Each structure stands twice: as structure tokens, then as C-alpha cells.
Amino acid sequence: MSARQFDVVVLGSGPGGEGASMKAVKSGRRVCSVEQSPLVGGACTHTATIPSKALRHAIQRLMDVQRDHPELRSELARHTPLADMMRAASSVVSKQVQLRSTFYERNRVELVVGRARFRDAHTVEVSEPRGSVELLSAKAFVVATGSRPYHPGGVDFRHPRIFDSDTILRLREAPLSMIIYGAGVIGCEYASMFRMLGTKVDLVNTRDRLLSFLDDEISDALSYHLREQGVLIRHQEEMTQVEAHDDGVVLHLKSGKRLKADVFLWANGRSGNSSDLGLEALGITVDSRGCIQVNDAYQTAVPHIYAVGDVVGAPSLASASYDQGRFAATHIVEGRLEHKLVKDIPTGIYTSPEISSLGRTERELTQAGVPYEVGHAFFKSLARAQITGRTVGMLKLLFQRETREILGIHCFGDNASEIIHIGQAIMAQEGAGNSINYFINTTFNYPTMAEAYRVAALNGLNRLF
């Protein structure tokens, strides 16, 4: 069987694969993308980022209407089941697939549907859905196969009451009670969503605080507001056993506690989709969670085979994955590194309210002995927040006392993931361009949430002496 020849073959059509494919084809290379699903977009579009965030938006809109029209609360709750909100999320997924499909068509990237496996260092065989096998040969490959929820031994994910972060989107009715094991980003997001729907939520955290990579003040704010909404958070607990019954699920913890709920959601980590790709035979190493080891240019142990996105591990963000794909393709085409593509990536966490952060935390700056100061803007004092009724939250700026260089930006509240980018644009400037003075000397529209930067900058400068 002869192999079809390409310059670049990309495995996966999620953000990382799309970024690599588009950069390579626009640089004049002949590109083929292999996707095991009939529809492009990867887990980001179909089972993770897009559907979960679209569902969150639908839930948030329902909560807003119930808040503004309390006389309709019971009727809305009765006539707006979870299935309807899931359908709203599905419509967004369909639009995203349609849009992303046109990128491949317009740029003449050939799409092959099937599961790929390396036959040798320059050839992959693709097992297509109808049973046929096709060989693709290329000068360079980009593995962008993404990740899936990690499944520990001893948990029966086939049981109708046990879910992971992919299968939870198949629910059609909000359960009365839920145990979420794992209080990372995914666990906190789903705890927030289901609590808004009235589900009694137990959030089991294996660590001593929520999202410890965040600034402590933001982490504390998240804990406070989840508890205020009614989420019961249990820190420093570890699972020993999950019992699934017809009438519910019982979680046994090492501390001796037992928790019972209608459904159980496992949200404790993900695994890279690297198994059965034939990588080991090529000398490409994979860790215990399926993540492929790469260098700064996203090259594996075989220099012409690259890996990007969730399959290489942290930061495991759709935004970063797309840049990593472009980064790898740039190295393939031009042989150069672009470190700035993955420097200071903002974190977006879609709890309710949202969280977004960029740069260093107070804890990191203190440990490094950096003289810094803090500026706050509390949303309850902003006219725009008062108008919209979204007064929970704050913007926090960390800056160097002498140079006034912005060192960290941390936001908790409505539209935090949008607000962060204003500060990001200034923080990314070289030299004197990165200064808190920008927010003092710039006129912001009024009333807006953006003026939180001016308020926070003045608040911080008032602390200097």
C-alpha cells in the first residue's frame, strides 16, 4: 500500500491541531489533519470548554431572570429543565463546528477521519470508520490529540449515577444531590453551576485550599462565595471507595466519613490521549498520565515529531494550546522559537462569579523578596456594577513599589475573563511601558467595569510613601 505524501500531518483538530494546521498551510506547506471524530473541534468544542461554558451561561441567564422576576421563580424552575439548557449549549457547539470546518475547507487542509498510529517515524496509518486503512507520510508531524478525564481503577464509570466531566453533559435533569470529587478548575466550575440549579453539592478537595495556584485572596473569595451559595466544601479528604446503588452513590473517605448523593462526578485530573499511537516504538516518552515529553520548541525525542496542547500537560488551556500549535508549526517552517507565545497566559475560571489571573501572586512575590504594593477596586463601588446588579467581586493589581511595574493582575467577579485583558495589554509592554501609571493617566468610559483599573491603581498608589 502506497502512502500519500504531505509536508505536515497533524493528529487532532482541537485548538492545538487547528493552530498548527493553519500556520503550516498559510506558510505554503501541504497539510493533512487526522481527526478520529467526524466533526472537527476536538474535546474543546464537543465535550469540554465550549459546551460547559455555554451551559454555564444558560444557567446564569435563568438565575438572572429569577432574580429580577421573583414572582416567576417557581414557574421558570419547573419549565426550564436542564435538558433545555443543554440544547442551548449544543447549538453553540454546532455553530463552532460549522465555523471551524470552513477554516479547513477555505485553506485546503485535507481532513481524514479515523484513528492514527505511527507505523514508522515518517508514516502514520489511519484506521477509518468503515474499516479501511490509509497511509500518510510527511516530513513533520504534530501530535495534538488532547486529553480525556482520568479514570482511576475501582470506579465504575459505566454506572448511570457515576459521571466524569465529559459524560456529565449528558444529564437531562438536575439531580437533587451531587458529590464532586476533585476541587480543581473543573470541579469548582461544576459545583457552582449545579448549585445554581438548586442541587445540594458536596465538593471534596484533596488539598488544603481551593485552587492553590491562585492568589490567596482570590482563592479565599471563591471559597466564601461557594459556601455562601450552599456548596459544602470538604478539604484534605481522599477517596477509598465509591459504591454505586440503584438509589444513589456512597463515597467512602480515608478519614472515615461517608457521603451519599444521587450522582457522583469524578473531576480529579485528566489523561493525555497518547496511548496506542505507536510512540513508544519510536523512543518517545510518555508519563504516568499519558503526557508526552517535549522541549521548548514542542519537539519530542524524535525532532520532526512535535506535540502540543493538553497531550503535553500544563497549562492545559484551549488558548495556550492554539498558540502552542502555531509555535510548533513556526518551528517546522522557519526553524525558530517564539517563547513569547506562551508567556504570561491568563487563567480563566468560569465559576460564578468568574475568576481570571495573570502574573505572580502575593505569596510568590513575598517568597522572592520583591517589594510590591497592592491596589484594589471592589465592584460594589463601581457604578456599572451597581447598574447591572453584579456587585460581587474585585480587581487586584500587584506592582513594584519603585518602578511601578505591574507584576500581577487578579480579578474575581462578573466578566473577569474579559476584564483581565486590559491589564494584560499593559503588563506585556517592555520597560517603562509596563507601568501602573497608565491607568492613572488614561480616561476610561464611564460607567464601565474597565474603570476598575483606575480605581485600583489610585488605591495602590495611595499606599506608597
Side-chain angles (χ1 to χ4, degrees), residues 50-51 54 84-98:
I50 297 302
D84 288 345
M85 288 181 274
M86 290 291 189
R87 277 191 288 273
S90 296
S91 71
V92 178
V93 170
S94 298
K95 291 173 185 176
Q96 282 289 304
V97 170
Q98 184 178 14

Side-chain angles (χ1 to χ4, degrees), residues 244-258:
H245 305 283
D246 291 341
D247 64 342
V249 181
V250 177
L251 173 66
H252 296 255
L253 300 171
K254 283 186 178 180
S255 63
K257 298 185 185 74
R258 291 190 303 164

Side-chain angles (χ1 to χ4, degrees), residues 60 188 191-193 195-196 199 222-232 351-353 392 412:
Q60 186 67 65
C188 287
S192 180
M193 279 190 268
R195 185 58 202 142
M196 283 193 288
T199 299
L222 174 63
S223 296
Y224 171 81
H225 284 284
L226 283 178
R227 286 193 173 101
E228 188 181 47
Q229 291 165 8
V231 175
L232 180 57
T351 47
S352 184
V392 172
F412 177 80

Side-chain angles (χ1 to χ4, degrees), residues 143-198:
V143 179
T145 47
S147 66
R148 65 188 183 279
Y150 170 69
H151 282 187
V155 179
D156 182 10
F157 287 93
R158 295 169 299 178
H159 195 279
R161 292 185 179 273
I162 295 180
F163 299 87
D164 61 28
S165 57
D166 286 355
T167 57
I168 195 69
L169 292 165
R170 299 174 191 167
L171 272 179
R172 289 298 173 261
E173 292 184 6
L176 293 177
S177 59
M178 171 184 285
I179 298 168
I180 300 178
Y181 186 80
V185 171
I186 294 172
C188 287
E189 288 181 345
Y190 276 113
S192 180
M193 279 190 268
F194 278 97
R195 185 58 202 142
M196 283 193 288
L197 289 173

Side-chain angles (χ1 to χ4, degrees), residues 27-38:
S27 299
R29 300 305 190 265
R30 189 178 179 213
V31 180
C32 177
S33 177
V34 182
E35 171 55 56
Q36 67 177 4
S37 168

